[in-house]
Amino acid sequence: DTAVSQTPKYLVTQMGNDKSIKCEQNLGHDTMYWYKQDSKKFLKIMFSYNNKELIINETVPNRFSPKSPDKAHLNLHINSLELGDSAVYFCASSQVGTPGEIHNYGYTFGSGTRLTVV
Amino acid sequence: AQKVTQAQTEISVVEKEDVTLDCVYETRDTTYYLFWYKQPPSGELVFLIRRNSFDEQNEISGRYSWNFQKSTSSFNFTITASQVVDSAVYFCALSEWNFNKFYFGSGTKLNVKP
């Protein structure tokens, strides 16, 4: 079974359209994330949700709106797509620990969604 | 502020050579995690290793080994007897204790030629 699954894997759309990328994790993790990887391969966090609550929003345009109906799902909706939004978007999940605990917490990425805006 | 530096943008080696990928990090936290991920041409991010800041013991897994040195804030990755299938972009990353912030280096592209 896939631990973190994203759909679709590829998405080609025209400028100005609205699109969504879905993410689901079956690991029982508390926290989910969206990352963007640009054409130079640089990976940067966009959002982080913990138990359906937003905890990180890294200066992402408000055209991007994450939605977490439950802690196993974090979807990314993008309005009015622009050429610069073309990138690979990765979903990830993790289990949060407490300071000093030495546990093998996981941090797992989905396989990515390649978004191309034309 | 946290930061991860992978100074080697691209490395090319011939199959069976050993290669070391460098990673230097900055953090003020006492509890943190370090990671290495592999991104093959197919694009997925493959987890290789996670190391917490309290464990400086080096690790070996098959042809892969990792050297964690807090004194120099480095977490280097060595591939012994490289193979063509090792060709990929390798990312070093640093996270806070609770994974709320996760910082990637810029990646090192490894080309292994037959």
Side-chain angles (χ1 to χ4, degrees):
Chain A
D1 287 338
T2 304
V4 180
S5 59
Q6 300 179 224
T7 53
K9 190 171 176 64
Y10 300 96
L11 183 55
V12 181
T13 188
Q14 291 186 325
M15 281 177 56
N17 284 349
D18 303 339
K19 290 293 177 186
S20 292
I21 307 172
K22 295 184 177 181
C23 179
E24 176 181 3
Q25 55 98 0
N26 62 6
L27 298 166
H29 286 171
D30 292 329
T31 309
M32 295 185 72
Y33 312 79
W34 278 107
Y35 285 82
K36 179 179 180 180
Q37 186 175 39
D38 61 25
S39 57
K40 295 183 179 179
K41 296 288 190 181
F42 187 67
L43 274 154
K44 188 173 181 182
I45 192 168
M46 300 173 67
F47 298 103
S48 170
Y49 267 74
N50 182 265
N51 276 324
K52 303 190 295 177
E53 288 190 23
L54 178 67
I55 53 175
I56 292 176
N57 179 342
E58 289 287 324
T59 61
V60 177
N62 57 16
R63 297 182 297 103
F64 290 78
S65 53
K67 287 185 171 53
S68 182
D70 55 60
K71 78 171 193 177
H73 296 84
L74 181 62
N75 303 323
L76 183 64
H77 188 75
I78 315 170
N79 290 327
S80 303
L81 278 155
E82 301 177 356
L83 292 177
D85 298 332
S86 295
V88 179
Y89 292 84
F90 285 95
C91 178
S93 73
S94 74
Q95 183 64 24
V96 179
T98 55
E101 281 189 324
I102 301 176
H103 290 286
N104 288 324
Y105 293 118
Y107 202 110
T108 307
F109 285 86
S111 56
T113 296
R114 182 175 294 278
L115 171 65
T116 304
V117 182
V118 298
Chain B
Q2 284 86 345
K3 184 180 176 182
V4 177
T5 302
Q6 294 180 255
Q8 303 151 308
T9 305
E10 188 165 351
I11 301 174
S12 292
V13 298
V14 177
E15 209 170 17
K16 297 185 183 177
E17 286 184 10
D18 299 346
V19 58
T20 295
L21 309 182
D22 298 332
C23 174
V24 175
Y25 63 94
E26 295 176 29
T27 181
R28 294 178 184 171
D29 295 342
T30 55
T31 303
Y32 53 89
Y33 290 89
L34 295 163
F35 298 77
W36 275 96
Y37 284 87
K38 174 183 179 180
Q39 188 172 42
S42 52
E44 71 273 23
L45 283 165
V46 179
F47 168 80
L48 295 178
I49 190 172
R50 174 187 57 248
R51 173 66 72 222
N52 71 63
S53 53
F54 297 105
D55 183 3
E56 285 193 73
Q57 188 173 2
N58 291 330
E59 182 157 339
I60 298 174
S61 176
R63 295 183 298 106
Y64 295 169
S65 62
W66 290 270
N67 183 356
F68 176 29
Q69 292 196 346
K70 287 179 77 171
S71 59
T72 56
S73 297
S74 64
F75 187 42
N76 296 338
F77 172 33
T78 297
I79 302 175
T80 304
S82 60
Q83 300 176 0
V84 173
V85 293
D86 296 328
S87 296
V89 179
Y90 290 85
F91 291 94
C92 181
L94 165 73
S95 79
E96 298 176 339
W97 64 269
N98 59 3
F99 297 150
N100 278 354
K101 291 271 191 174
F102 205 85
Y103 304 89
F104 279 92
S106 53
T108 297
K109 185 176 182 182
L110 175 64
N111 301 308
V112 182
K113 302 175 183 177

